[in-house]
Amino acid sequence: MDAGGSFGVLYKSISRNPLQEHVLRRKNSKENCDRFIPNRSAMDFDYAHYMLMEARKGKENPVASSPANEAFRKQLAEALNLNRSRILAFKNKPPTPAQLLFPETSSLQQAKPAKPRRSIPQTSERTLDAPEIIDDYYLNLLDWGSRNVLAIALGNTVYLWDATDSSSSELMTVDEDTGPITSVSWAPDGRHVAVGLNNSEVQLWDPISNKQLRTLRGGHESRVGAMDWNNHVLSTGGMDSLIINNDVRIRNHIVETYRGHHQEVCGLKWSSSGQQLASGGNDNLLHIWERSVASSNSPTQWLHRLEDHTAAVKALAWCPFQANLLASGGGGADRCIKFWNAHTGACLNSVDTGSQVCSLLWNKNERELLSSHGFTQNQLTLWKYPSMVKIAELTGHTSRVLYMAQSPDGCTVASAAGDETLRFWNVFGTPELAKPAPKANPEPFAHFNHIR
């Protein structure tokens, strides 16, 4: 049966209700009264009697009252609606609301209850020791895998920290000639981790068996400080200004090379679609590369070259709820977070944060952006997008917060700084779908621990 047709028949039958028509006729007749003759049915005689008698008493027996009593009398009159000045009424009272004919539609018309404001803890939930972490703005030494294991490079060693049981282990160590480690990046499946080295090589490791799978060499000429995955393709950025796409499934792994930067590449991020790659460098340039364009023989490989930043561009983050929106952050001489339309290359907004922007992360559940900063406050700042109003500032680090990583559920953020600490912040709250789920394991951020 057609829902629209049945609704129309029901509505017509109710609109012919005699009671409804009767009420309408009475209302019309009352409105046709003379404007100089009061309408007795619309008057409040009790109130009129009170006003006439009290006014006479006040004139015949004036009583002096203190300012406090006078103020109390005014408040009481206002609360009891006794401040009305008119006694006679020439119009009808507003009709009382009739009962809704369709109760099921009332819930749609009612305003939705206001969403409770999320409480953001101002201190870190947990702090881990991170000795020998390199205080270098151009490196990327922290990543959180999809299987809830965090990888961090400390000097010549990569450590793994499992957030489900708070256990830590050593993955690998390189010698002094090969190290130090300059970047780490988990594969999308969380089963393999890439390790960039100071000697221009990239190693792929299996953390389950603690075995090295292969070494990618022959592409870069100096250290590899930035990496990001696009399915089975690992993109690497080096101090030699090159960006190389490596297909880790094949022997000859180099499939594409992007040339556009003049100095070290320190930021790499693939869009969620896997079609666009954003890169930032120490040459203050931000490039957006399109795979289809870069794969062709076009003389200009990049889709957009953006030159608005005035310092190195390391912090990059693609928006999870708007596919063509890219956020970028500049170094100490720039201090700005800029938002870009990746299709047109237009700068949508620029916000001066007041300090070096080291890293950016979007909230997966709300329209919010988290930034980490250097001098002078070394803070994490949570912004509301698109207004860019500060929601919270999280302090605790005593040195610039160079690295951030987000947990797989999007709730927790790990930050590492030159003060040799790794801190965990419950800054993005809890997803609504995950709230009713019982907790099978104890909270992973309840105790202080050390990574050694």
Side-chain angles (χ1 to χ4, degrees), residues 148-161:
N148 211 16
V149 178
L150 186 140
I152 184 171
L154 304 178
N156 295 332
T157 304
V158 173
Y159 293 91
L160 302 180
W161 187 79

Side-chain angles (χ1 to χ4, degrees), residues 256 290-301:
E256 293 161 348
E290 188 86 33
R291 288 207 67 181
S292 58
V293 175
S295 301
S296 65
N297 294 323
S298 172
T300 303
Q301 288 183 293

Side-chain angles (χ1 to χ4, degrees), residues 413-433:
V413 170
S415 63
D419 58 8
E420 297 189 341
T421 62
L422 174 64
R423 295 174 182 267
F424 296 85
W425 311 83
N426 185 20
V427 63
F428 287 149
T430 304
E432 293 183 1
L433 296 178

Side-chain angles (χ1 to χ4, degrees), residues 308-309 327-331 334-340 347-357 360 369 371 373 381-390:
D308 293 30
H309 283 289
S328 63
D334 181 83
R335 307 175 305 180
C336 290
I337 298 176
K338 297 183 183 295
F339 298 91
W340 309 89
C347 183
L348 306 176
N349 191 15
S350 180
V351 178
D352 189 346
T353 66
S355 58
Q356 182 184 50
V357 183
L360 293 172
L369 181 68
S371 57
H373 297 271
T381 303
L382 184 63
W383 309 82
K384 186 68 177 176
Y385 183 83
S387 65
M388 292 305 288
V389 173
K390 288 184 182 181

